[in-house]
Amino acid sequence: MPRLVVRTLIASLLCMTLASTIAACGSGDDDGGGGNARTTARADSGAGGRRGGTLRVLTEEDVSGLDPGVTYSSAAFNLLSGTVRPLYRYAPENPTDIEPDLAASQPQISADGRTVTVRIRRGVRFGPPVNREVTSRDVKYAIERGFNPSVGNPYAPTYYGDLVGVDRADGGPIAGIETPDEQTIVFRLTRPTGGVLAQATTLPLSAPVPQEYASRFDDKPEGELTDYGNWQISSGPYMFAADANGRALGNGIVPGRRLELVRNPNWDAATDGRPAYLDGIDWSVGNEPNVAGRQVLDGSGLTLGDTPTAETVKRAVQRYPEQIFFSPGAGNRYAALNTAIPPFDDPDLRKAVAAQLDREQMRLVRGGASIGDIATHLLYPGVAGFEEAGGMRGPELDFLANPAGDPAIARKYMAAAGYPDGRYTGRETVEVVGVSGDPADKDSQLVDEALRQLGFRTKLRLVDSDTMYGRFCASPKARAEVCPILGWIRDFADPQTVLDAAFNGTTISQEDGTNSNWPQLNDPRINAAMARAELVVDKQERAEAWANIDRMITETGAAIPWLWDKQPVISSKDVRCANQLWNQGHCDFAYSSLR
């Protein structure tokens, strides 16, 4: 929810403001009482849980884009992992190895990497009101609709872009997707990228969609968007509560208020390896973060769906160490500087901002060292290529060398950009678009302050995260110069998924809300390096290729990495949370239970 914020924030004021939450200011190693070494929660597979009960999830922000063909957010992935069945999935405690979900076995990839064949399980049925068995044609339609302008899936061109005939795809049949029978789907590619496509089928786009039901929502006039997300049909153990016609909007989906998952009556445990202990999930929206944190820690049957505030992290570690889990490898966080327009089309100005920014303080307002490591590049721990890119040290660039900021280095780059006194004298106002609510608003203010210290005139705009991405940072037409608190988590276990969609100039989309290359970086050298790396098959060579790309991107200063997340997740004492290590540690609803 929007909050009153102070535009100018200096370090001493921040320390006084946070004195009741964080133990000390100015120490790069201080964890604010939140060191995860003192917590006792560990990753849990969920095996042997108790059946029954409703898990309640509290968040401040709403979750939008719940169509499996549209969504690209961690919270939506969390919800949809219980309602739809893509071809493959990750077990909650294993973020590395894919396992069959809708598929009956592992994918068969041809020796030349240009054909992928998948067999589909028998007996998987759609929820009401469709009530029929899922076939390979439903997967084919699901992927094809991702290219429909009314759907506009953001990652389909990246991971399915080598399908034969995809250059003409508009939501209709794609020649490179074949269904020789009801249990077989074959993908034919123009390049040897079958390994990447096979892993991409862990994403919701490959979850089956019944064409005879969904096409009325997808077939829209130009400029209109599908409404299937509000009428979606389940294939998993849970479904959004809906009326007899399948309408979830106003029932299980009440924007700004709540989401409700109930059991899918057509789900058959014999077709699914997940236990699905819970009777339902009740997701409440609009909760004040600190109040919600206290309710979860002190209450029963609750988990927090948002990032906890620093106050909540400290309280959990000190008083409820068995109720907080720090999920490793939970992604990166960075500030994006718009390279397509002045003033940050100048790489020296971008590097000056990176050098000035106090990344240590940005971590501190979130809870200190317990919630992550100061980032020095974009590939994060646990992702292939991280060590090859320099590991914790990174590429050792001078403008990222000091986590607390280095004004002398900032002045060096300001001078290189033509501002010898170290202050920007341009007349334009730089718009900084951040997120309201603790701790995101504080991080946004810190970036805004770093810009002002360098002489930039700024306009700080704090909005909810959906608005930040949809209206501003993912919409080039909005011309937002700085987006300070963006985050990226891998799509699946491959370094390409961290860097390609986020920094490949060929992925830049001008359609509102669909651009994932937030700094709009379009460097021909980097684009060409990515095109080559996409075709590398050997795991070590692939890691090295993407590590080199990671260095190239970091050197541009287009994205200022400031945190490698260890996402804190808190739950009530009677909640057995099976943390999704592949998805920021959220409780996996199909594995979690109540004690």
Side-chain angles (χ1 to χ4, degrees):
M1 303 293 288
R3 298 188 184 186
L4 181 66
V5 297
V6 180
R7 284 290 307 275
T8 302
L9 186 68
I10 59 175
S12 60
L13 178 58
L14 179 63
C15 286
M16 290 187 288
T17 303
L18 298 178
S20 62
T21 304
I22 302 299
C25 283
S27 170
D29 296 323
D30 177 68
D31 67 1
N36 56 341
R38 296 191 292 276
T39 64
T40 58
R42 296 291 182 265
D44 189 345
S45 68
R50 182 176 69 84
R51 295 197 174 276
T54 297
L55 177 65
R56 292 180 294 157
V57 183
L58 302 184
T59 66
E60 179 185 24
E61 294 190 1
D62 203 355
V63 183
S64 62
L66 290 168
D67 185 331
V70 174
T71 189
Y72 206 18
S73 78
S74 178
F77 280 12
N78 180 222
L79 282 156
L80 295 181
S81 67
T83 63
V84 299
R85 298 184 65 177
L87 290 175
Y88 296 92
R89 66 182 176 226
Y90 293 100
E93 79 284 7
N94 183 352
T96 303
D97 303 312
I98 65 171
E99 62 181 34
D101 192 339
L102 181 61
S105 58
Q106 291 290 332
Q108 301 300 307
I109 304 173
S110 63
D112 65 1
R114 295 173 183 261
T115 303
V116 180
T117 303
V118 178
R119 293 284 296 170
I120 292 174
R121 295 179 193 267
R122 295 182 182 275
V124 178
R125 295 181 63 80
F126 282 119
V130 174
N131 301 315
R132 67 161 173 82
E133 186 170 357
V134 172
T135 74
S136 57
R137 291 190 298 275
D138 300 312
V139 178
K140 174 178 168 66
Y141 177 71
I143 296 170
E144 289 170 341
R145 71 185 288 271
F147 291 89
N148 187 327
S150 77
V151 177
N153 182 274
Y155 57 80
T158 300
Y159 303 133
Y160 294 89
D162 287 333
L163 285 168
V164 172
V166 81
D167 55 325
R168 297 182 295 279
D170 59 2
I174 295 175
I177 306 178
E178 302 172 1
T179 53
D181 59 57
E182 292 191 343
Q183 267 66 54
T184 306
I185 186 165
V186 180
F187 302 97
R188 301 197 184 280
L189 305 165
T190 59
R191 299 194 303 163
T193 54
V196 170
L197 182 143
Q199 292 186 79
T201 60
T202 58
L203 298 171
L205 182 61
S206 78
V209 174
Q211 183 174 7
E212 75 276 13
Y213 171 89
S215 59
R216 63 187 168 121
F217 304 108
D218 293 344
D219 296 340
K220 297 286 188 180
E222 184 177 353
E224 293 188 20
L225 301 178
T226 180
D227 196 32
Y228 176 70
N230 292 324
W231 297 75
Q232 63 185 276
I233 300 300
S234 170
S235 52
Y238 302 102
M239 57 182 278
F240 289 96
D243 64 20
N245 296 316
R247 181 184 172 92
L249 185 64
N251 296 285
I253 300 176
V254 183
R257 293 180 57 192
R258 63 188 293 266
L259 300 162
E260 181 186 7
L261 300 186
V262 298
R263 281 200 168 274
N264 172 8
N266 295 338
W267 179 71
D268 183 353
T271 70
D272 196 333
R274 298 174 294 175
Y277 301 116
L278 297 167
D279 291 333
I281 295 91
D282 191 347
W283 187 299
S284 170
V285 176
N287 297 278
E288 199 284 324
N290 285 310
V291 173
R294 289 193 294 272
Q295 289 176 328
V296 169
L297 293 172
D298 297 334
S300 174
L302 294 162
T303 188
L304 192 66
D306 287 331
T307 298
T309 65
E311 175 184 318
T312 300
V313 170
K314 179 182 179 182
R315 188 166 185 259
V317 170
Q318 291 183 341
R319 297 179 56 185
Y320 306 90
E322 74 283 0
Q323 291 176 227
I324 184 167
F325 173 74
F326 291 89
S327 183
N332 62 35
R333 293 186 188 270
Y334 60 90
L337 306 181
N338 191 336
T339 65
I341 58 176
F344 297 118
D345 55 347
D346 186 330
D348 288 316
L349 287 180
R350 301 195 297 260
K351 294 170 186 177
V353 175
Q356 184 72 25
L357 183 61
D358 189 340
R359 294 174 290 143
E360 182 58 68
Q361 200 76 310
M362 293 185 74
R363 178 175 69 166
L364 191 61
V365 300
R366 288 180 170 262
S370 62
I371 56 89
D373 298 304
I374 300 295
T376 57
H377 54 112
L378 295 155
L379 288 178
Y380 54 88
V383 175
F386 171 76
E387 293 298 339
E388 289 80 359
M392 300 301 290
R393 297 191 316 276
E396 300 184 298
L397 302 169
D398 62 350
F399 58 87
L400 293 174
N402 189 340
D406 191 329
I409 296 297
R411 288 193 295 272
K412 164 189 161 182
Y413 283 105
M414 290 298 293
Y419 304 95
D421 65 351
R423 293 184 60 81
Y424 185 70
T425 56
R427 302 184 64 179
E428 67 267 53
T429 297
V430 170
E431 184 169 37
V432 182
V433 183
V435 173
S436 58
D438 190 8
D441 55 356
K442 294 183 176 67
D443 281 326
S444 302
Q445 292 166 0
L446 284 164
V447 174
D448 182 71
E449 179 62 22
L451 289 161
R452 292 164 66 90
Q453 289 169 346
L454 293 175
F456 291 95
R457 301 178 185 179
T458 67
K459 176 184 178 182
L460 177 62
R461 186 192 298 266
L462 297 178
V463 295
D464 63 81
S465 63
D466 281 346
T467 301
M468 180 194 72
Y469 284 109
R471 182 178 168 189
F472 294 101
C473 301
S475 299
K477 295 175 186 175
R479 297 176 67 84
E481 285 89 355
V482 181
C483 292
I485 55 166
L486 303 169
W488 195 277
I489 187 169
R490 59 164 221 183
D491 292 333
F492 45 86
D494 189 279
Q496 180 182 343
T497 71
V498 179
L499 302 176
D500 196 350
F503 300 105
N504 193 329
T506 66
T507 68
I508 296 173
S509 170
Q510 297 300 321
E511 295 297 320
D512 288 347
T514 65
N515 177 47
S516 58
N517 183 338
W518 298 315
Q520 298 181 59
L521 181 64
N522 191 6
D523 186 316
R525 297 180 310 110
I526 294 173
N527 298 346
M530 287 190 181
R532 293 190 298 270
E534 289 168 2
L535 304 181
V536 177
V537 175
D538 179 81
K539 287 186 177 181
Q540 182 57 39
E541 292 178 3
R542 189 171 178 83
E544 292 171 358
W546 286 101
N548 180 57
I549 292 166
D550 177 74
R551 286 190 291 270
M552 294 170 69
I553 297 169
T554 305
E555 287 169 357
T556 69
I560 306 172
W562 55 269
L563 188 68
W564 290 318
D565 263 330
K566 296 176 185 174
Q567 180 74 6
V569 180
I570 65 168
S571 302
S572 298
K573 189 173 183 178
D574 63 343
V575 173
R576 187 175 172 191
C577 176
N579 303 97
Q580 292 177 330
L581 298 188
W582 57 272
N583 187 31
Q584 295 189 312
H586 293 294
C587 295
D588 193 315
F589 302 137
Y591 291 89
S592 298
S593 60
L594 301 180
R595 291 186 170 93

